[in-house]
Amino acid sequence: MENSEKLTNSKEVIAYIAERFPKCFSVEGEAKPLKIGIFQDLAARLSDDPKVSKTLLRTALRQYTSSWRYLHGAKAGANRVDLDGNACGELEQEHIDHAQKALEESKAKVRARRKEQAVAKAAVAKEGEAKAKKNRTNSAKPKNTKQKTTKLDKKPVETTRALNADEVKVGKDVNVNMGTGNMPATIVEINKDDVRVRLSNGLTMAVKAEHLRS
């Protein structure tokens, strides 16, 4: 019996429609430009398919057509194809220009994000070095061997734990595990593959959800 378990994300949907319509969709290599109105054709072909909802299908199609490999395929002389791989007319210049502009903007965002992450990591490393230097300076000072007459209350050791999936939400105060220690931060944005946080020093950076602590 064919597995009819419902697909739950765009990646699964793209893989599924690439399997169903291999002459139109692909999961690797340069993607072919799609026929205008392909969503309606897909919705009609998959109307009785319990695995795919129209909402998720639309989201997956939007992700597919905004991918770098799809935008790379939008070039002069390329033909749009329907679900069966039949040519449906050559791409118009305005669509080519739009695709190239979208590709450059997407690449620029990635470059800016990487630069921002590098700056944030450098700031965290600098702060860690400053703390280490301070600790070395303090440890080099002669200790006072005179016995204290008053007993100080010991503070409990501060512990952290990994966040649950339902705890990862915008506005939540968290700690970011940077390897050298935990940095206090606030979640400001949640993306598919990473979470953007604002550190206490005002810098923002993208981290994996598993690096967040309560």
Side-chain angles (χ1 to χ4, degrees), residues 128-144:
E129 289 175 1
K131 287 182 178 180
K133 184 177 180 180
K134 183 178 179 181
N135 290 336
R136 287 195 298 269
T137 302
N138 290 337
S139 63
K141 292 179 180 179
K143 294 182 179 179
N144 185 1

Side-chain angles (χ1 to χ4, degrees), residues 83-97:
L83 294 177
D84 300 311
N86 300 314
C88 298
E90 192 172 317
L91 277 175
E92 296 179 6
Q93 188 59 44
E94 62 177 302
H95 295 153
I96 296 172
D97 293 342

Side-chain angles (χ1 to χ4, degrees), residues 110-151:
V110 170
R111 288 194 295 269
R113 185 182 303 165
R114 286 175 180 171
K115 183 178 180 181
E116 187 178 82
Q117 290 175 344
V119 170
K121 286 181 180 179
V124 170
K126 186 176 181 180
E127 187 172 341
E129 289 175 1
K131 287 182 178 180
K133 184 177 180 180
K134 183 178 179 181
N135 290 336
R136 287 195 298 269
T137 302
N138 290 337
S139 63
K141 292 179 180 179
K143 294 182 179 179
N144 185 1
T145 57
K146 185 178 179 180
Q147 187 176 3
K148 295 182 179 180
T149 57
T150 57
K151 185 177 179 181

Side-chain angles (χ1 to χ4, degrees), residues 26 28-34 61-78 80 91-110:
S26 65
E28 58 183 20
E30 194 170 271
K32 299 174 183 178
L34 301 176
L61 195 59
R62 188 180 300 115
Q63 180 177 316
Y64 184 84
T65 55
S66 62
S67 67
W68 286 10
R69 64 190 190 87
Y70 183 85
L71 296 174
H72 269 298
K75 53 192 175 185
R80 295 182 180 276
L91 277 175
E92 296 179 6
Q93 188 59 44
E94 62 177 302
H95 295 153
I96 296 172
D97 293 342
H98 176 77
Q100 296 310 306
K101 181 180 178 183
L103 180 60
E104 286 306 313
E105 289 177 348
S106 180
K107 287 184 176 181
K109 285 181 180 179
V110 170

